[in-house]
Amino acid sequence: MILSSLLLFAAQPLQAEAPEPTREPTGRVTVYRLGQVETLEGDAQKNVSLLVRDGVIERMGQALIIPDHAEVIDLRRSGQVATPPLVLTHANWLIEGRRSGGRNSQFLAVDSLWLEADWEQDLLEEGVLLVGVDPPGSGLPGRTSVLEVDGQTGQPEPLVADLHLKVTMATSSSAKKLVRDAWKAAEDAIAKEEKAEKDWKKAREEWEAKQKEKEEAAKKEEEDKKDGNTAAQDGGKDKKEQEEKAPPETFEPPKMKSDVTPLVEWVRQERVGQLWLRSASDWLHWQDLLGERELSYEIVLRHGRSQNFGEVASVLATTGLRVEVPAVISFLPFTRVRANLPAELAAAGVEKLILAPPNDSLSGVRSWRLGAARVVAEGLDRQVALRGMSLEAAASLGQEELIAPLKTGSPATFVIWSGDPLDPMSEVDLVVSAGKVVYDRAKKEKEEAR
Amino acid sequence: MNLLSLLLLVFPAAPVAPLDSPFLWQEPPVEEVVEEEVAEEPVEEVTEQEPAEDEVEEVVEEEEEDPNAEDPNSPYLAIIGGDIHTVSDGLIRKGTILCKEGRILKVGRRVKLPKGARRVDATGMQVYPGLIAVRTNGIVSGRGTNIADDFDPFGLNVDLGLAGGLTTVESGNGIAKLTRGTLDGTLLGTTGWINLNYSSTSPGSRRQVRAEFSKVRDFLRERRAWETAKAMGEEEGEEPEAKGLKSGYLELLEGKAIARFNANGLKDLLSICDLLDEYPMQSVIFGGQEAWACAGRLGRVGARLVITPRAKSWADDSLNRPSGWSIENAKILWEHGVTFSILPQQTFISTGGLAGRDLLNLPMEAAFAIRGGLPQQAALQALTLDAAKILGMDDRLGTIEVGKDADIIICDGDLFHYRTFVEWSVVNGRVAYDKAKAPYFAHIRPREVPSMDELVEEIQRAADALEEEAGNAEGDVETVEEEVSTAEIDAPGGF
């Protein structure tokens, strides 16, 4: 205490002159000794130490030489488990905005954020370090964004402001018409651009040819001059006119409407779509719409009135697309026949499976691990479930480098649970992001008790 | 101990094979439909792709190991061994229907199956064309041509419709097939019905309808005169233009559309007959409770009806004319040659509501007409071919004939018997419903019956057991017989 107050005292005059940047723990080594690590790449490892330096797992193994002065956090005896952090693809309670239908692809989710002061604590408590948010509404409501949960309060800078183009599909002629019209608008815009480019090219070539002619004429004139003939007097005027008309050197595409640009990018396969489906028939109608068209997109399954995605599980698997599904055991419509959709999809061969919370709300996140545990108890592979809650979700948000399997060389980003993460009684003890502790339950509880 | 009692001991609740109930209708004389006969009139495109018979035979020879192996991707579907009620051609006992790519390719007793054909074993079952409901609500979502984009091929009501034997339904003037699990071939077309309000309660609109028709008729006369003049090479003026005519009315008088009326009372029915006399056109009348009282008139004007045999209205004693409903309505209409279809009181499928009076039980409504004297064959026709005629789709639907759509239902008994279930519904040559696999009725009188070999084996085992027991009891036969009788009495289930 005394030492720190002394330090503070000493630091104050310095700070007044030039505020020192918070120092990164460069070179400092922290060793986490753990009973179990779910690396999510291969089986879980027991009695492992993670040696963290500069935010990276420098070494990992059962017998590590611990350097001097390393901070050792020994968690072996309390049954704690480390996993990569959870990633929430749709933290949609953070979004406040009009729930529109129709074509609104110009909107960005990040523009409608509505964050309470302690929004991050809620997520960290559940071991979530990365969230995707998407614009509310149906049809083509806008584009999704990604936020990092780093424990610092205040309006965050989005990690990615503009990611997927959200499309909601429904078994209705109006929903299909909307998408058809959107593609038409995009194709019209592309055609317009192509035409403009063609026109520009033509104009440019003509202009260049004329320039050449002009130059030749000038040369000839000079030669003529040399020969002694008098030059034509209106040549200078011509040149001036042509210079004024000269088309730009590089092609400038005509401006597109802001809601059309993302669609054009999607049609050109420069952007990934996020297709929301509510029933198996939505998928068939989507296939009908799509026809021969090739697009890149991911699939988000949400249970509507009918929970019958099992009907198309094998077809979904053959597409090789990433599929997100809520961790729920549902009943087949109007029956008491239980359906474990995540397990069905995995069994059908869906490899990129995201296991989302039972619903897109905070309470959904709080019952996420419980839902996952049920789904695992009734047949889904545990590793698939855990990967689906973290790595696959991170990959969907384009952040597979940020949240990676726990191994040597990976960023030191992990969650330490008080027990098995799929035990709903377990709590998050520690969240470490790139070597920095961003959430510490013991510390927080102490603060709250004060 | 005879074989029968042994059988009873082993299979006390073994399903009884086809019904021999008195409800079974007098079947028409069996016309033997021979494959060669049928093959004379196949659809062109089908014949082209039809494998030559020698080829088929060869193929069968090659497949010596298992000639019955099924290829799930085969374009062929064979429905084998059932009694086929063709509607167009009487009954074919133990016949086979071969379908290819959604159409019926062959029907008959001796049909050779191509290699890999998918099979449905309909032995002991009754096979009918898929039933058609000429008006529905909520079985398919969407109306008109929008059905294609609004259809939920996994919807509960689609499943239940198929379980009730429906394969085609009308919805908001659109005609949809219950293509479960696929969107291919759902929308069949539109009905071309044009609603006319011609009720005695609104004389104003009646006058208006007649006035509009009069205008159209004048126009048609004018145009015909012009066409005649043109054809004769006489001096022709401008072609008369169809101006100021009410939309649809011209199509009606040109025979391109069907007029749709709602009428139950005799007065309304007769006035519609008057209108049809004056302006001949295709028509369909929904209701027709008192149609029995003017059946001859309806037959003469060619009106088609959609009736509900169990819809009641009491006779009005104050009238000096026949009135009220009659259980014989359908029979009388049939006797007068009126084409009619049948709908239940509720044109949707309800999992609550009035059990047995919704589209889950369409044949029950028709069974009531049979009770009133309608021949069973006519009742079947009302739910299939005549319904197809009313929808204007009789070129594709309504019978089991070569070239027609492969929309077929296979029932475990007579269609009009209350205990009959649809076992399979085939739509466009695909098995769209299978009772044993769908979660609704699989548990009621399950289809799985033991094979002959299994039966013999079971009997042998039971006989051995009895013998052994008899040996143990040192020839005390009486005890054994007692046990047999107890087993019979205690046996659960049975019909």
Side-chain angles (χ1 to χ4, degrees):
Chain A
M1 252 331 254
I2 298 166
L3 191 75
S4 61
S5 55
L6 268 173
L7 269 171
L8 269 174
F9 185 70
Q12 244 157 12
L14 276 173
Q15 263 182 355
E17 284 170 13
E20 204 177 28
T22 46
R23 202 189 283 171
E24 294 291 317
T26 44
R28 237 177 85 187
V29 174
T30 313
V31 176
Y32 293 89
R33 310 193 71 174
L34 293 155
Q36 191 179 340
V37 176
E38 292 273 8
T39 62
L40 298 195
E41 201 176 69
D43 289 337
Q45 294 186 19
K46 303 250 168 172
N47 288 322
V48 181
S49 299
L50 298 178
L51 195 149
V52 176
R53 194 200 297 264
D54 294 340
V56 174
I57 301 176
E58 196 177 84
R59 268 179 288 159
M60 179 176 160
Q62 288 183 330
L64 290 187
I65 300 163
I66 297 169
D68 295 343
H69 312 299
E71 187 189 355
V72 178
I73 301 169
D74 196 339
L75 303 164
R76 277 176 301 178
R77 254 165 292 171
S78 45
Q80 278 147 312
V81 180
T83 67
L86 304 190
V87 176
L88 184 62
T89 41
H90 304 286
N92 285 355
W93 71 92
L94 302 178
I95 295 287
E96 175 65 44
R98 60 200 191 94
R99 307 213 161 262
S100 58
R103 190 165 89 209
N104 295 299
S105 7
Q106 70 273 24
F107 290 132
L108 284 179
V110 74
D111 293 338
S112 331
L113 279 179
W114 181 272
L115 302 174
E116 300 290 335
D118 53 353
W119 70 279
E120 289 178 305
Q121 292 306 312
D122 294 331
L123 289 162
L124 288 169
E125 254 172 41
E126 294 298 325
V128 177
L129 202 64
L130 196 65
V131 296
V133 283
D134 45 72
S138 60
L140 289 156
R143 289 164 282 163
T144 66
S145 313
V146 182
L147 303 175
E148 198 176 3
V149 186
D150 53 9
Q152 292 167 0
T153 46
Q155 195 79 8
E157 275 295 306
L159 201 61
V160 184
D162 179 5
L163 188 66
H164 297 136
L165 177 71
K166 181 177 173 183
V167 186
T168 69
M169 188 65 206
T171 299
S172 79
S173 37
S174 56
K176 287 176 88 172
K177 185 175 181 295
L178 181 79
V179 178
R180 271 192 207 113
D181 289 352
W183 284 340
K184 173 111 194 342
E187 271 152 14
D188 287 352
I190 291 172
K192 197 176 161 194
E193 193 179 298
E194 276 167 3
K195 191 180 171 288
E197 192 170 1
K198 223 174 171 182
D199 290 350
W200 166 82
K201 224 176 214 170
K202 204 178 154 196
R204 185 76 197 172
E205 274 166 10
E206 274 174 12
W207 182 78
E208 275 168 5
K210 255 185 197 164
Q211 283 300 101
K212 221 174 227 175
E213 250 173 50
K214 193 79 208 164
E215 272 170 30
E216 273 167 20
K219 240 182 228 170
K220 211 177 174 187
E221 213 171 281
E222 263 176 41
E223 277 167 17
D224 285 356
K225 251 184 196 172
K226 274 179 198 164
D227 292 348
N229 295 338
T230 49
Q233 295 212 338
D234 52 352
K237 201 180 166 189
D238 262 6
K239 201 176 175 182
K240 210 175 179 183
E241 265 178 18
Q242 272 164 9
E243 267 171 11
E244 275 169 13
K245 276 183 195 167
E249 275 185 35
T250 51
F251 170 64
E252 276 171 31
K255 251 197 165 170
M256 283 180 197
K257 277 187 186 169
S258 57
D259 65 321
V260 176
T261 317
L263 295 169
V264 168
E265 289 164 356
W266 193 32
V267 167
R268 285 181 167 157
Q269 300 201 53
E270 293 162 359
R271 175 185 288 280
V272 180
Q274 190 180 72
L275 179 68
W276 290 60
L277 306 174
R278 297 186 74 83
S279 78
S281 70
D282 293 351
W283 170 252
L284 293 192
H285 282 286
W286 169 252
Q287 290 292 297
D288 178 47
L289 259 185
L290 200 60
E292 297 292 306
R293 188 187 292 273
E294 281 185 11
L295 290 176
S296 44
Y297 59 96
E298 303 187 342
I299 297 172
V300 177
L301 304 182
R302 285 290 182 270
H303 288 317
R305 250 183 66 232
S306 47
Q307 290 148 25
N308 53 9
F309 286 112
E311 300 270 7
V312 292
S314 53
V315 190
L316 286 176
T318 56
T319 60
L321 296 168
R322 182 173 282 120
V323 181
E324 177 180 325
V325 59
V328 195
I329 302 278
S330 48
F331 290 104
L332 289 184
F334 304 96
T335 68
R336 303 299 290 171
V337 181
R338 289 160 79 82
N340 186 346
L341 185 61
E344 270 180 60
L345 288 170
V350 174
E351 281 173 3
K352 300 175 192 165
L353 190 73
I354 300 176
L355 197 61
N359 58 66
D360 297 330
S361 69
L362 187 55
S363 65
V365 175
R366 286 179 178 149
S367 53
W368 191 3
R369 287 179 294 126
L370 176 64
R374 281 190 183 140
V375 172
V376 168
E378 296 198 15
L380 184 68
D381 183 70
R382 182 188 159 85
Q383 287 280 318
V384 172
L386 286 174
R387 286 181 65 90
M389 295 165 82
S390 60
L391 303 183
E392 284 299 340
S396 161
L397 300 180
Q399 304 301 325
E400 54 269 70
E401 286 185 2
L402 212 65
I403 291 180
L406 299 181
K407 59 178 179 188
T408 306
S410 290
T413 302
F414 49 85
V415 176
I416 294 171
W417 307 85
S418 64
D420 180 357
L422 289 187
D423 177 354
M425 297 294 281
S426 301
E427 287 179 275
V428 172
D429 279 348
L430 214 59
V431 180
V432 179
S433 172
K436 271 190 287 185
V437 174
V438 292
Y439 175 83
D440 185 340
R441 182 161 62 97
K443 203 169 142 194
K444 193 184 161 215
E445 276 171 5
K446 218 180 270 173
E447 270 171 22
E448 278 170 1
R450 210 183 290 160
Chain B
M1 177 92 4
N2 60 21
L3 190 68
L4 185 70
S5 60
L6 264 173
L7 257 175
L8 275 171
L9 171 72
V10 182
F11 294 105
V16 182
L19 268 185
D20 49 353
S21 76
F23 296 103
L24 265 179
W25 53 290
Q26 284 293 312
E27 61 203 36
V30 178
E31 281 177 50
E32 196 167 308
V33 180
V34 188
E35 174 198 345
E36 280 76 22
E37 272 179 40
V38 180
E40 279 174 17
E41 46 169 343
V43 180
E44 275 179 20
E45 46 181 318
V46 174
T47 19
E48 279 168 21
Q49 290 166 14
E50 191 182 337
E53 291 196 352
D54 330 12
E55 266 178 48
V56 176
E57 266 176 335
E58 262 174 59
V59 166
V60 172
E61 274 166 20
E62 276 172 25
E63 280 279 307
E64 265 177 29
E65 286 177 6
D66 188 5
N68 294 339
E70 288 182 48
D71 173 8
N73 298 319
S74 168
Y76 296 98
L77 175 79
I79 299 162
I80 305 164
D83 293 349
I84 303 167
H85 301 254
T86 62
V87 175
S88 55
D89 246 340
L91 177 73
I92 304 172
R93 283 210 183 275
K94 292 183 181 160
T96 294
I97 305 170
L98 182 64
C99 317
K100 186 188 177 191
E101 284 162 1
R103 297 288 177 95
I104 296 171
L105 188 64
K106 284 184 182 182
V107 186
R109 286 198 185 175
R110 292 188 292 275
V111 176
K112 279 170 192 146
L113 302 185
K115 181 184 165 189
R118 291 166 287 137
R119 288 151 189 254
V120 173
D121 181 9
T123 309
M125 308 251 177
Q126 306 293 314
V127 183
Y128 302 91
L131 307 185
I132 299 166
V134 294
R135 187 173 65 206
T136 67
N137 293 298
I139 294 183
V140 296
S141 38
R143 302 168 61 79
T145 48
N146 274 352
I147 287 173
D149 283 344
D150 285 327
F151 181 62
D152 179 354
F154 302 107
L156 173 75
N157 285 346
V158 170
D159 264 2
L160 291 179
L162 290 164
L166 303 178
T167 55
T168 304
V169 299
E170 183 273 355
S171 174
N173 274 9
I175 306 169
K177 289 218 193 172
L178 303 184
T179 53
R180 194 199 190 271
T182 174
L183 298 175
D184 292 342
T186 302
L187 181 68
L188 206 56
T190 48
T191 57
W193 292 345
I194 287 163
N195 287 338
L196 294 183
N197 182 4
Y198 207 68
S199 156
S200 58
T201 51
S202 57
S205 67
R206 259 194 203 199
R207 248 197 320 275
Q208 210 182 335
V209 167
R210 276 202 306 273
E212 293 294 342
F213 273 124
S214 159
K215 264 195 244 171
V216 175
R217 186 172 55 189
D218 290 347
F219 163 73
L220 284 173
R221 277 179 185 154
E222 215 178 301
R223 197 173 66 183
R224 206 168 302 130
W226 176 82
E227 279 167 357
T228 320
K230 196 181 167 190
M232 301 285 280
E234 286 170 18
E235 197 180 314
E236 51 191 274
E238 294 266 306
E239 181 179 349
E241 267 181 73
K243 258 189 196 167
L245 303 180
K246 201 162 178 187
S247 71
Y249 280 48
L250 182 60
E251 284 80 5
L252 281 174
L253 291 196
E254 283 178 327
K256 292 176 187 163
I258 301 172
R260 185 190 175 287
F261 301 93
N262 283 320
N264 272 314
L266 184 61
K267 202 171 155 196
D268 282 354
L269 290 167
L270 285 173
S271 62
I272 290 171
C273 288
D274 289 344
L275 182 74
L276 294 176
D277 263 341
E278 198 177 352
Y279 302 100
M281 56 188 152
Q282 297 189 71
S283 61
V284 53
I285 303 170
F286 280 74
Q289 270 180 14
E290 292 181 358
W292 57 275
C294 60
R297 190 76 206 285
L298 287 164
R300 283 195 293 280
V301 296
R304 290 164 177 167
L305 270 87
V306 178
I307 58 169
T308 301
R310 280 186 284 182
K312 277 191 182 180
S313 64
W314 300 117
D316 187 345
D317 292 339
S318 63
L319 295 173
N320 61 347
R321 63 161 173 85
S323 64
W325 79 301
S326 166
I327 194 173
E328 289 180 289
N329 194 12
K331 174 205 159 200
I332 294 168
L333 287 171
W334 176 71
E335 283 172 347
H336 287 82
V338 179
T339 301
F340 63 90
S341 185
I342 290 172
L343 274 181
Q345 193 179 39
Q346 295 180 329
T347 54
F348 49 88
I349 284 177
S350 159
T351 44
L354 290 171
R357 302 202 66 172
D358 60 3
L359 278 171
L360 193 55
N361 301 281
L362 177 60
M364 288 304 96
E365 198 66 42
F368 222 74
I370 296 171
R371 193 179 175 83
L374 183 70
Q376 196 147 346
Q377 174 71 13
L380 178 60
Q381 192 170 320
L383 300 185
T384 55
L385 183 61
D386 289 349
K389 280 181 185 163
I390 285 168
L391 294 179
M393 284 287 160
D394 48 324
D395 56 334
R396 287 185 62 177
L397 310 174
T399 62
I400 298 182
E401 265 182 293
V402 171
K404 283 220 176 172
D405 288 13
D407 294 351
I408 294 157
I409 57 170
I410 299 145
C411 302
D412 61 0
D414 182 75
L415 180 64
F416 300 103
H417 195 287
Y418 59 84
R419 65 173 281 280
T420 296
F421 273 107
V422 173
E423 291 285 346
W424 290 277
S425 296
V426 173
V427 180
N428 287 342
R430 277 177 83 250
V431 176
Y433 168 82
D434 182 344
K435 175 174 165 247
K437 287 182 187 161
Y440 313 109
F441 305 117
H443 58 293
I444 304 173
R445 291 195 284 281
R447 184 163 68 225
E448 275 67 37
V449 287
S451 71
M452 207 58 216
D453 289 346
E454 285 169 333
L455 269 175
V456 170
E457 206 175 288
E458 276 295 316
I459 291 166
Q460 190 60 50
R461 206 179 302 148
D464 289 350
L466 280 177
E467 222 166 80
E468 201 177 306
E469 218 170 294
N472 291 346
E474 288 182 323
D476 193 355
V477 182
E478 286 223 359
T479 339
V480 175
E481 276 191 354
E482 242 180 55
E483 269 179 28
V484 171
S485 56
T486 332
E488 270 176 55
I489 293 161
D490 289 348
F495 311 121

